[in-house]
């Protein structure tokens, strides 16, 4: 049976094979996005001593389906004097880079759609493209609130991208490669070998910049419900709004995956190198560990939202420019010395 | 059929079309967006040449950062498009002359070496070849001084731009962030202990509410 399936797979043209692989990656992402929204409402509900959605389906498990159906059936209203083409294309421009970045994410050893050498650069380029959709949405809506949201968002994303880029440069120095698989493999050994220990400040800076980059609370001035209604997507309804929503959550999952890959050993087991536990858990596939690590970061996203009040605009700019960028520059030098001095157990490999 | 020529002609056509659109569309925001698309397609062309580092850097730096700021500025300018069209006919002869001179110059430079037969096809790189690493090795060894000089000039430009636009206003009020961060709970919050419910049974709802407010 397995042999027959393998034969059919090899018989398919390469283009079809790639398309099937893309489907296999994108469909679970979309499902996790749907259930992440439910998880968010449940988690924040419990943090605020509420129950959260529990009406649709058993324990509210069908809530995302109901939400999706509602959004799909809603009318898309295009505002007067809005730029029609840009208004419609903006949500796609937000979603497409968020999904395209998944092409280079390794889920396990060899389990990657495109194993390219410049993977880290590609990720950085793709995540920097998402801001176009936001800006275009804000401009094309022909609305003051949307425009203000777009301006805030672009200023914020451009600022935090610099700190994010520097954090990635430090990872590149530590791993000696831009290929995400090799970055994970260079963290092999044990939990101590993960890059989160020698690069701890970068780990924190990267994750917080990731939260800012996805416009999530407490960095959600681009939406700022209490000041500018809903920011850049105030004029959007129905599926067009749903695409913004999907993109935001897909980006959250992406940032969680990247943080896990670059600082917490990706698919490597946390019990690696531990005498008994390693043998007991060796049957667990690597993708399980990656998903578990991603889950931790996704929970942090939700926890942040329930805990912190929104940053003021000047505080955001101060944190990005005056705190994160100096910290990253200092840590580039520190890491340079650590690599030069072959500080173990991270940099003493030949 | 080889797929590369198809991709090349697709990108090339889009690149030429968007470049023309950049200078012809009336709306400046549209022009910037066409320029973004032009950058993106040229990155695609570089990718076909196996220059993946340059291609991705073009997207990262120009599309992801420079053009975002450009769009940011252009969007904030409230341009009235009518006056920009005035004088088009009047200035047309000068424009045509300048364009012709440019075309002649380009032909003079390019023509002697034009044609595929003048250039050897680039060798296919081996599988483990890393464009990024090779570029880094050359930049930081052979061209180190030029590289550092370029970096210093860019830094100078940043500092100069900030100095030119920085206006010190004597009356502006700043927040002292360190003072804000150092603020403790006891500086701002005063906790007043009070009875949760009045000892005496309230005679009416209004009275009991008044009691709480005191």
């Amino acid at each position: 049976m397995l042999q027959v399936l393998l034969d059919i797979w090899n018989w398919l043209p390469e283009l079809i094979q790639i398309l099937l692989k893309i489907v296999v990656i994108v469909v679970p992402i979309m499902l996790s996005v749907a259930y992440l929204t439910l998880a968010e409402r449940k988690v924040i509900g419990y943090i605020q001593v509420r129950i959260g959605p529990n009406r649709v389906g058993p324990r509210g498990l069908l809530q995302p389906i109901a939400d999706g159906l509602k959004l799909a059936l809603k009318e898309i209203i295009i505002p007067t004097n809005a730029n029609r083409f840009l208004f419609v294309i903006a949500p796609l421009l937000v979603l497409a880079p968020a999904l395209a970045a998944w092409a280079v994410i390794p889920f396990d050893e060899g389990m990657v759609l495109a194993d390219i050498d410049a993977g880290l650069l590609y990720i950085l380029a793709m995540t920097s493209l998402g801001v176009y959709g936001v800006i275009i949405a804000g401009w094309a809506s022909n609305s003051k609130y949307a425009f203000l949201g777009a301006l805030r968002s672009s200023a914020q994303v451009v600022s935090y991208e610099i700190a994010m880029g520097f954090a990635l440069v430090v990872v590149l120095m530590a791993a000696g490669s831009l290929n995400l698989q090799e970055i994970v493999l260079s963290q092999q050994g044990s939990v101590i070998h993960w890059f989160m220990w020698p690069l701890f400040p970068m780990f924190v800076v990267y994750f917080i910049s990731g939260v800012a980059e996805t416009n999530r609370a407490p960095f959600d001035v681009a939406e700022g419900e209490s000041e500018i209604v809903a920011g850049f997507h105030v004029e959007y309804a129905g599926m067009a709004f749903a695409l913004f929503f999907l993109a935001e959550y897909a980006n959250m999952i992406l940032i969680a995956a990247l943080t896990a890959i670059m600082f917490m050993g990706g698919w490597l087991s946390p019990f690696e190198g531990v005498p008994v536990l390693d043998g007991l858990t060796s049957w667990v596939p690597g993708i399980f560990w990656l998903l578990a690590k991603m889950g931790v970061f996704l929970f942090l996203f939700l926890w942040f939202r329930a805990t912190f009040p929104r940053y003021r605009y000047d505080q955001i700019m101060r944190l990005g420019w005056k705190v994160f960028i100096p910290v990253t520059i200092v840590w580039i030098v520190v890491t340079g010395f650590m690599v030069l001095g072959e500080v173990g157990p991270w940099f003493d490999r030949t | 059929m080889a797929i590369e020529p198809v991709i090349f002609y697709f990108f090339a056509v889009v690149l030429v079309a968007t470049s023309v659109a950049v200078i012809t569309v009336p709306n400046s925001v549209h022009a910037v967006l066409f320029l973004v698309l032009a950058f993106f397609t040229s990155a695609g062309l570089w990718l076909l040449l196996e220059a993946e580092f340059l291609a991705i850097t073009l997207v990262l730096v120009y599309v992801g950062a420079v053009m975002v700021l450009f769009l940011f500025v252009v969007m904030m300018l409230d341009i009235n498009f009518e006056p920009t069209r005035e004088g088009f006919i009047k200035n047309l002869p000068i424009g045509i002359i300048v364009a012709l001179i440019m075309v002649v110059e380009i032909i003079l430079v390019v023509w002697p070496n034009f044609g595929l037969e003048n250039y050897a096809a680039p060798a296919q790189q081996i599988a483990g070849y890393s464009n990024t690493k090779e570029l880094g090795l050359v930049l930081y060894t052979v061209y180190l001084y030029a590289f550092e000089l370029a970096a210093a000039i860019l830094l100078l430009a940043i500092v100069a731009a900030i100095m030119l636009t920085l206006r010190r206003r004597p009356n502006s009020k700043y927040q002292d962030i360190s003072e804000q961060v150092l603020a403790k709970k006891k500086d701002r919050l005063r906790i007043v202990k009070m009875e949760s419910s009045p000892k005496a049974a309230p005679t009416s709802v209004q009275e009991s509410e008044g009691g709480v407010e005191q």
Side-chain angles (χ1 to χ4, degrees), chain A residues 83 86 117-118 121-122 124-125 128-129 131-132 135-136 139 147 151 154-155 158 161 178 312 314 318, chain B residues 27 29-30 33 36 40 52-53 56 59-60 63-64 67-69 71-72 75-76 129-130 132 175 177 180:
Chain A
N83 191 313
L86 290 180
D117 276 334
L121 268 179
Y122 174 81
L124 205 58
S128 67
L129 288 183
V131 69
Y132 275 101
I135 300 179
I136 291 171
W139 184 78
F147 189 59
L151 289 186
S154 47
V158 168
E161 214 160 68
L178 280 168
R312 224 170 42 212
D314 64 313
R318 176 178 169 270
Chain B
N27 190 328
V29 173
H30 292 178
L33 290 175
V36 170
F40 209 86
E52 81 267 4
F53 179 79
I56 298 176
V59 173
L60 180 64
V63 178
M67 293 315 285
V68 172
L69 293 177
L71 196 58
F72 189 94
M75 272 192 334
M76 286 206 288
Y129 177 77
S130 171
T132 316
Q175 278 146 345
I177 301 286
Q180 286 186 335

Side-chain angles (χ1 to χ4, degrees), chain B residues 53-93:
Chain B
F53 179 79
L54 285 178
I56 298 176
T57 313
L58 181 70
V59 173
L60 180 64
V61 175
Y62 280 90
V63 178
V66 175
M67 293 315 285
V68 172
L69 293 177
F70 220 78
L71 196 58
F72 189 94
V73 173
V74 168
M75 272 192 334
M76 286 206 288
L77 300 173
D78 195 17
I79 302 170
N80 185 8
F81 298 115
E82 287 309 310
T84 56
R85 295 241 160 165
E86 278 172 17
F88 181 74
I89 300 294
K90 196 179 74 184
N91 296 328
L92 195 60

